[in-house]
Amino acid sequence: MYAARPSGLFQARRLSARLAGLLALLVLVCLASLLWGAGDVGPARAWAAITGQGDAEAQFVVGSLRLPRTLVGLVVGLALGVAGALLQAVTRNPLAEPGLLGVSAGAAFAVAVALVLGATATTMRIGVAQLGAMVGCLCVLGVARVSGAGNDPVRLVLAGAALTGLLLSLTSLLLFDQRAADEIRFWIVGSLAGRRLEHLLAILPSLLLAGAIVLAVARPLAALSLGERVASGLGHRPGLIRLLVIVAVALLVGAATATAGPIAFVGLVVPFAARALAGPDIRRTLWLCLPLGPLMVITADIVSRLLVAPSELPLGVLTALCGAPVLVAVVRARRMPTL
């Protein structure tokens, strides 16, 4: 009994140290996002603008362009990282990821339909995206449960890939309307360019509600990872836990997709790295997903600005380059990680 206490204390201190290190690295990455960009304002002029001594052009670029996209990237990365960890925990599947299971595609299709129908309000787009994300999540989990794919990570991903392909094809069919087509093409590539603080303020209520749900289900979800019987024996309700997780994932993915477009693989790479640092406990994993998600998104955004400057690469291309090797490594592993 007494040996467990030092072990638990040691794990808590190690988690705190790693979390502090990741937060410090995140601050540096956010600063780099303000200093570097695809335009003419270089690090020296940007730093002068940050310290209040820069020219008008540098202050506009840093304050009105780079700062909003950095904050949006911070929130989008956090939302997608946490959503991926929740999906992997509730399905007990290391390949469960919003982009692979059709959740992001469902949100994207719903927003595309809303744009064709004339929707322009950001708040309306967010609600539509969250509804689409929830429907996509329910569809793929329903298919997995009916077909028995829930116990097979690869079959679950194949079911999600089929749903994603169908929804993306339907989204492409909506490009017949010229007005909506231009906006859909700009939005669906997945990017932080042109995002403003208004977009961030519009999704904050959804993120706060999702955060409250995550706090409520973190402990029951950890019990559910031991099996439904164990969770029920501890007084938890597995069906209710899954429903709350689906709602939280829909809120997070819908808000992120409506703001930055569909960005794949963040929900796969971030929980994978968090478990490597913190172990299989979902509560520790979620803590580390908070800085790791923004770290991945903002770093990819910086690289997308600098790689082909003065143009920019789509953010989704960079996240796919990071996520594809992780996906292949997990699939090719001799033993799938247990969650």
Side-chain angles (χ1 to χ4, degrees):
M1 291 180 60
Y2 294 100
R5 289 186 178 179
S7 175
L9 181 60
F10 173 75
Q11 290 182 357
R13 288 179 176 176
R14 184 173 62 178
L15 177 65
S16 300
R18 291 177 176 176
L19 187 60
L22 289 173
L23 289 174
L25 183 59
L26 179 58
V27 171
L28 294 177
V29 170
C30 290
L31 180 60
S33 179
L34 297 178
L35 295 178
W36 276 277
D40 296 330
V41 178
R45 293 178 63 190
W47 178 254
I50 293 174
T51 57
Q53 301 174 356
D55 55 86
E57 181 187 6
Q59 290 180 357
F60 172 78
V61 169
V62 173
S64 300
L65 299 180
R66 294 181 186 174
L67 178 61
R69 74 184 293 170
T70 300
L71 294 177
V72 170
L74 192 74
V75 174
V76 168
L78 185 151
L80 293 177
V82 171
L86 291 174
L87 266 182
Q88 292 178 14
V90 78
T91 60
R92 305 182 68 183
N93 186 332
L95 296 181
E97 194 266 339
L100 295 177
L101 297 190
V103 183
S104 297
F109 175 69
V111 172
V113 171
L115 291 174
V116 170
L117 296 178
T120 57
T122 302
T123 52
M124 180 185 300
R125 183 183 302 180
I126 293 170
V128 170
Q130 289 166 342
L131 178 61
M134 182 174 294
V135 172
C137 189
L138 289 173
C139 284
V140 73
L141 291 180
V143 170
R145 182 175 293 272
V146 171
S147 64
N151 297 324
D152 188 341
V154 178
R155 289 178 63 191
L156 181 61
V157 171
L158 290 177
L163 177 63
T164 299
L166 174 63
L167 292 174
L168 290 179
S169 299
L170 293 176
T171 302
S172 299
L173 293 177
L174 299 176
L175 299 180
F176 63 87
D177 182 83
Q178 187 61 41
R179 180 200 65 82
D182 295 336
E183 190 169 356
I184 291 173
R185 288 192 187 99
F186 172 77
W187 168 81
I188 203 170
V189 294
S191 175
L192 301 180
R195 272 50 179 185
R196 302 186 302 273
L197 292 179
E198 290 80 0
H199 296 98
L200 184 59
L201 294 175
I203 65 175
L204 279 181
S206 298
L207 296 178
L208 291 175
L209 178 58
I213 295 175
V214 171
L215 290 175
V217 302
R219 185 181 295 273
L221 195 56
L224 186 62
S225 66
L226 302 175
E228 292 193 8
R229 292 184 178 179
V230 175
S232 299
L234 293 174
H236 303 301
R237 299 168 58 184
L240 179 60
I241 295 172
R242 292 192 180 92
L243 178 60
L244 290 174
V245 168
I246 290 174
V247 172
V249 169
L251 289 172
L252 293 169
V253 177
T257 304
T259 304
I263 301 174
F265 289 106
V266 177
L268 174 70
V269 176
V270 170
F272 182 84
R275 284 195 303 274
L277 293 173
D281 192 320
I282 182 60
R283 291 166 292 186
R284 295 197 295 268
T285 299
L286 287 172
W287 274 112
L288 290 185
C289 284
L290 297 179
L292 281 172
L295 267 174
M296 179 178 177
V297 171
I298 297 176
T299 302
D301 183 52
I302 295 173
V303 176
S304 71
R305 293 183 241 169
L306 300 179
L307 207 57
V308 291
S311 301
E312 292 188 21
L313 284 175
L315 179 60
V317 173
L318 273 300
T319 57
L321 289 175
C322 297
V326 175
L327 176 62
V328 173
V330 175
V331 172
R332 289 176 60 88
R334 293 183 180 179
R335 294 183 61 186
M336 296 298 297
T338 56
L339 302 180

